[in-house]
Amino acid sequence: GRVFLFPGRKGKVMEGSIKGERLLRIKEVLALIPVSKSTWWAGVKSGRYPKPIRHLGPRITAWKESDIKAVIDGTFQSAGE
């Protein structure tokens, strides 16, 4: 798949690759979906919002852009639905 670069802690560039899918960090997600960080994480826990991709590295959390677009479009369904 394609490799995507995104800013990490202290300005370092981190790499993430999920089958050619663009990955969004929490700040990018919250810029698109105007909720607080605590509301976002509560929604992730309840299944209202998608779960993040966590195997990118230590302390790196990102979401697939297609999942975030589905939330915006109102078409996101959690795995349990």
Side-chain angles (χ1 to χ4, degrees):
R2 295 181 3 214
V3 174
F4 292 94
L5 303 176
F6 48 91
R9 294 175 57 91
K10 298 181 183 177
K12 294 181 182 177
V13 174
M14 310 299 291
E15 291 187 4
S17 174
I18 303 293
K19 297 180 183 174
E21 177 95 41
R22 181 163 183 250
L23 301 177
L24 304 176
R25 299 294 302 272
I26 187 73
K27 287 182 180 182
E28 295 170 298
V29 170
L30 297 180
L32 297 171
I33 301 172
V35 297
S36 70
K37 192 183 286 188
S38 59
T39 298
W40 175 259
W41 282 111
V44 169
K45 184 176 180 180
S46 72
R48 179 177 182 185
Y49 300 131
K51 292 185 180 188
I53 307 298
R54 291 193 182 261
H55 62 276
L56 299 173
R59 300 175 52 100
I60 297 175
T61 303
W63 285 262
K64 294 190 294 182
E65 183 178 42
S66 61
D67 286 348
I68 301 307
K69 286 183 177 180
V71 170
I72 293 168
D73 295 341
T75 59
F76 173 74
Q77 293 185 354
S78 67
E81 292 182 24

